[in-house]
Amino acid sequence: GIFTVLLFVLACELPVWLSTPNEGLADLIQGRDPQLNEILARVPAIRQGPSPPLFFRNRHIQFIPFLIQNAIHQMDAIPYERVEMEVRDCVDKRFSQCHHSSQMMNDTVTLDIFPPFDTEDYDDFNRSSPVILFAPGLRCHSQDLPGNSIVRKAYGSGFRSIVVNRRGHTPDQPLKSPRWNLFGDVDDMEQVYWFIKRNFVPSHTAFFLHGISSGSAVTVTALSKWDKRRTELREKTPAFVASVAVAPGYDISKVLNRDRFLWPYNDIMMQSVKDHFVMKNEALLRSHNNDAVEMMLEASSLQEFAEAGVTFAGYDNTTLYYQDTNPINEVRDITTPKLVLNAVDDPCCMIDNLYEASPYAQHEGKTFAQMIRETKRGLIAVTYTGSHCPFLCTRNRWLPFVNDPVTGGWMLNNWSDQVAIEYYRAALDVYGSRRFL
């Protein structure tokens, strides 16, 4: 019974205590802008890092309370307002314009908004309240990003959350066309941004962009493309005061391999994505490319699964896919203030991903960490503990709990949630003029 459980926890925790004597921050990587020092001064929690509870330092054990809370939060769901919008795309991603229906891959994505725009029940909010666009993780959605404590934290600090449930991610909503990208689609995200700007908020509302786990890929790729177009072509592109990426994996051509996305999580998630994305849309996908469906179903790793499905993302092969979508390609073109949060003990996004030399010629053999130092406003905080998203923290408190602003009850104190919201608040003060771009 209890004694057996305690022995199990002790067996998991003791090696961690012996091999990881430190808590807090393992590394801080900072871009060139001196104003980043002001951000760090305003958000001391970034430099402090998380202080995990006594028996929850182990990266696997941290998932236990995190998953329990997620189950509770899904039963006591956030009362989002749901808005559906049509997104348009071409069969071949090489073309930005297509006019005949046979050349189009249109579908419906859902935007889950909290607090809603269509009610006056939330006195502290109005249409000009700052907005955070969320890109959820692998097979995730608005009630489990993973977790939704960040949305609750945002609400308590005056930020409106809009979760972009990308194609295929909305529960019980099958695809209408055989177009779907495991990591998300930049073109869809741009359409979402302008749809919100046109229909819901005043023109100078402050926007923030937040990616979690695999959802961080589309946010980084998007910023590199949009910021480059704004800088070099003087185009009007989506503009954000700041952005956060939690637990990204960097080079998506490798990140889902078994030596980087470890057992048992690779197997657990692989079966989950096969069931959700393929089996629920099997007839539609087979009508477009039967061989690709067979390859996805036979995949033995998440990386094989992702590569087998690039045809459904609009690319003829993996080379074209990675050339256009890999977030590390043009990371140095990002001028938006960008905070990245990684944990050394993350079993799903190995920290070595950050420190390995890039194999791509344009990066001149530099590591991704070195490239972030060359960006204008990039900032990466690498913590000793946190696992993949929980980031449990008891710093300055006896127990790892904080108030839940939505219910008035309690929720786990997630260091990444705290840091993200404090960072957005600081960015409003330091970089607030970006909302006028």
Side-chain angles (χ1 to χ4, degrees), residues 85 149 177 215 247 272:
M85 69 163 288
S149 58
S177 63
S272 178

Side-chain angles (χ1 to χ4, degrees), residues 7-300:
L7 281 178
F8 172 75
V9 172
L10 181 62
C12 292
E13 289 293 327
L14 187 58
V16 177
W17 275 104
L18 295 175
S19 62
T20 311
N22 298 308
E23 61 181 35
L25 213 61
D27 197 4
L28 182 65
I29 300 165
Q30 187 173 335
R32 297 178 287 109
D33 188 354
Q35 287 187 295
L36 291 175
N37 291 319
E38 187 174 349
I39 293 287
L40 290 170
R42 290 170 179 262
V43 191
I46 294 177
R47 289 188 184 276
Q48 293 169 350
S51 176
L54 181 62
F55 292 109
F56 291 89
R57 294 176 70 91
N58 182 279
R59 61 186 181 180
H60 307 296
I61 298 295
Q62 282 219 10
F63 279 124
I64 296 174
F66 185 69
L67 292 174
I68 292 172
Q69 174 175 269
N70 291 356
I72 294 171
H73 279 173
Q74 288 190 62
M75 290 187 292
D76 189 14
I78 292 174
Y80 291 105
E81 169 193 3
R82 171 156 292 181
V83 173
E84 294 187 347
M85 69 163 288
E86 184 183 50
V87 286
R88 298 173 175 270
D89 204 1
C90 298
V91 172
D92 190 331
K93 295 290 283 189
R94 291 176 299 176
F95 303 103
S96 59
Q97 298 291 328
C98 45
H99 304 287
H100 193 273
S101 59
S102 63
Q103 301 172 325
M104 294 181 180
M105 285 284 189
N106 301 343
D107 212 321
T108 300
V109 298
T110 58
L111 311 179
D112 285 342
I113 305 166
F114 182 77
F117 285 111
D118 65 354
T119 180
E120 297 180 357
D121 293 342
Y122 300 90
D123 295 336
D124 295 332
F125 286 81
N126 54 55
R127 287 190 173 268
S128 62
S129 297
V131 169
I132 304 175
L133 288 188
F134 285 95
L138 199 68
R139 233 234 78 178
C140 291
H141 52 84
S142 60
Q143 296 293 354
D144 184 11
L145 298 165
N148 61 39
S149 58
I150 181 61
V151 174
R152 297 166 188 265
K153 192 84 171 179
Y155 167 72
S157 295
F159 291 87
R160 174 174 276 113
S161 296
I162 301 182
V163 181
V164 183
N165 298 304
R166 52 192 184 268
R167 300 188 194 213
H169 280 69
T170 304
D172 303 317
Q173 180 174 297
L175 293 169
K176 294 180 179 179
S177 63
R179 170 53 45 84
W180 153 78
N181 188 332
L182 189 66
F183 289 102
D185 190 293
V186 171
D187 297 325
D188 285 358
M189 187 67 80
E190 183 164 2
Q191 293 173 67
V192 166
Y193 175 88
W194 294 119
F195 175 80
I196 296 168
K197 292 276 282 189
R198 285 194 309 269
N199 295 285
F200 294 101
V201 300
S203 60
H204 298 315
T205 300
F207 271 72
F208 300 84
L209 186 60
H210 196 102
I212 302 176
S213 188
S214 64
S216 65
V218 69
T219 68
V220 176
T221 303
L223 289 178
S224 67
K225 291 174 179 285
W226 297 336
D227 288 356
K228 185 175 183 178
R229 280 165 46 195
R230 186 186 310 113
T231 301
E232 296 185 358
L233 303 178
R234 303 298 179 185
E235 289 186 19
K236 186 75 172 177
T237 62
F240 298 86
V241 174
S243 177
V244 170
V246 179
Y250 300 94
D251 186 349
I252 63 169
S253 72
K254 304 175 182 179
V255 67
L256 299 180
N257 282 326
R258 287 186 171 275
D259 60 340
R260 297 171 186 247
F261 197 111
L262 302 182
W263 182 90
Y265 307 107
N266 206 304
D267 293 278
I268 293 171
M269 292 307 302
M270 183 168 56
Q271 191 56 52
S272 178
V273 295
K274 287 180 180 180
D275 291 342
H276 182 79
F277 294 115
V278 182
M279 301 306 293
K280 290 184 177 180
N281 301 285
E282 186 173 4
L284 176 66
L285 297 179
R286 285 190 183 279
S287 69
H288 181 69
N289 192 316
N290 185 70
D291 290 342
V293 171
E294 288 296 329
M295 291 172 62
M296 284 194 292
L297 293 177
E298 294 172 3
S300 60

